[in-house]
Amino acid sequence: MGILTLDMQITQSLAQYKDWWIVRDLLIPTEDNHSMHIDFLAVSPYCVFVGEIKTFRGTIVGNGMHKYWKQMVNGEEIDYFSPLMQNIYHIGRLQKFLKNMPFQLHFHSIVYMQGIDSSAITLHGPYPPDCSVVTSVDALLRIAQVISEKRQMILTPDETKFLYDFICKNQLRGAEERERHAQQSAEYKLNARKALMQQICPECLSPLRCVATPTANYWVCSRYPDCQYNHKI
């Protein structure tokens, strides 16, 4: 047997729950004629777990409620878009995708951060509601167990299977859809970089202002503290 990838390990671990259904590498349509990628989805009778997997190097420090964290790699500080916020966005789009379900659904975000070599991550609370960050499969399983025991929703086996079948049937498939999604993602990142070069906040499009500190200079959104974007110069 070959080495299991992380998403395969997660799938295999969650498969111990016999009444759960797991979907990996999911691409769903959105209302604005775009698409959204979800790393893994666990459909259980008690909760829909939406999973985001991130592999990183260096050191990451951040606040659970902020949209950008700071990543130090080879002595350079760079912005790191929060996977927590990214997955909240995913859940919002997923809720619209499943809006016609004949039963109420509860969603919980799980962000799996996998460090490479001697990487480390330090996050400060508070966190957004219904969100968890884990760094091991065991921690993921503990979170899944705790959330399931709270029983925010209870679906019958037939209802759980119906929800799983709907997701599988209506997801986007094929190389062409994957390529279109990749192009849309690349365009979004390019536009964010262009905004920064023009001294415009990539989050709210307000002007950036230069702020000097004893250790470094930063571009800070002029709408601070309403918008907390900042970027080291």
Side-chain angles (χ1 to χ4, degrees):
M1 182 177 177
I3 299 176
L4 294 177
T5 61
L6 179 56
D7 62 334
M8 292 172 63
Q9 292 178 46
I10 291 172
T11 300
Q12 190 177 76
S13 298
L14 293 176
Q16 67 179 288
Y17 301 109
K18 303 303 182 183
D19 53 351
W20 290 29
W21 298 87
I22 315 301
V23 188
R24 286 168 37 201
D25 193 23
L26 177 66
L27 196 64
I28 65 170
T30 59
E31 293 180 335
D32 55 1
N33 197 33
H34 284 60
S35 57
M36 181 184 68
H37 180 264
I38 297 176
D39 289 331
F40 70 91
L41 203 65
V43 180
S44 84
Y46 316 117
C47 182
V48 178
F49 295 95
V50 183
E52 178 72 16
I53 301 173
K54 292 294 184 185
T55 301
F56 70 97
R57 294 183 182 275
T59 301
I60 290 179
V61 178
N63 184 296
M65 298 297 290
H66 290 179
K67 198 166 187 177
Y68 282 90
W69 300 341
K70 295 300 178 182
Q71 181 181 21
M72 292 294 299
V73 181
N74 299 324
E76 181 182 2
E77 182 181 279
I78 58 177
D79 288 339
Y80 189 92
F81 183 67
S82 165
L84 276 176
M85 297 304 170
Q86 179 183 5
N87 221 27
I88 289 174
Y89 171 81
H90 288 173
I91 288 178
R93 292 299 182 94
L94 186 61
Q95 287 173 324
K96 293 180 179 179
F97 177 66
L98 300 174
K99 64 183 179 181
N100 293 325
M101 287 294 102
F103 30 73
Q104 186 175 1
L105 300 176
H106 180 77
F107 299 85
H108 190 89
S109 166
I110 296 183
V111 174
Y112 193 115
M113 300 294 296
Q114 183 182 45
I116 299 176
D117 300 328
S118 57
S119 301
I121 179 169
T122 302
L123 298 180
H124 306 285
Y127 293 91
D130 296 314
C131 291
S132 302
V133 179
V134 300
T135 56
S136 70
V137 174
D138 287 343
L140 185 152
L141 292 177
R142 287 196 297 271
I143 290 294
Q145 186 65 36
V146 168
I147 299 302
S148 296
E149 289 173 354
K150 292 181 179 179
R151 296 180 181 269
Q152 299 283 356
M153 69 183 200
I154 301 179
L155 302 184
T156 67
D158 286 344
E159 290 172 335
T160 308
K161 182 63 164 53
F162 176 83
L163 176 58
Y164 168 79
D165 287 342
F166 177 88
I167 293 171
C168 291
K169 179 181 178 181
N170 292 280
Q171 67 176 311
L172 298 174
R173 301 178 183 274
E176 184 176 342
E177 290 291 351
R178 295 279 168 173
E179 178 62 24
R180 190 167 77 96
H181 175 78
Q183 291 177 354
Q184 291 171 350
S185 298
E187 288 174 3
Y188 174 84
K189 293 176 183 178
L190 178 61
N191 289 336
R193 287 196 296 270
K194 285 181 177 179
L196 187 58
M197 291 175 62
Q198 296 169 0
Q199 299 178 18
I200 298 174
C201 174
E203 293 306 309
C204 69
L205 302 182
S206 299
L208 295 173
R209 58 187 181 90
C210 182
V211 175
T213 73
T215 56
N217 296 329
Y218 292 85
W219 287 118
V220 177
C221 181
S222 58
R223 292 184 58 247
Y224 181 88
D226 293 329
C227 177
Q228 300 194 8
Y229 177 84
N230 66 87
H231 182 88
K232 186 176 181 181
I233 300 176

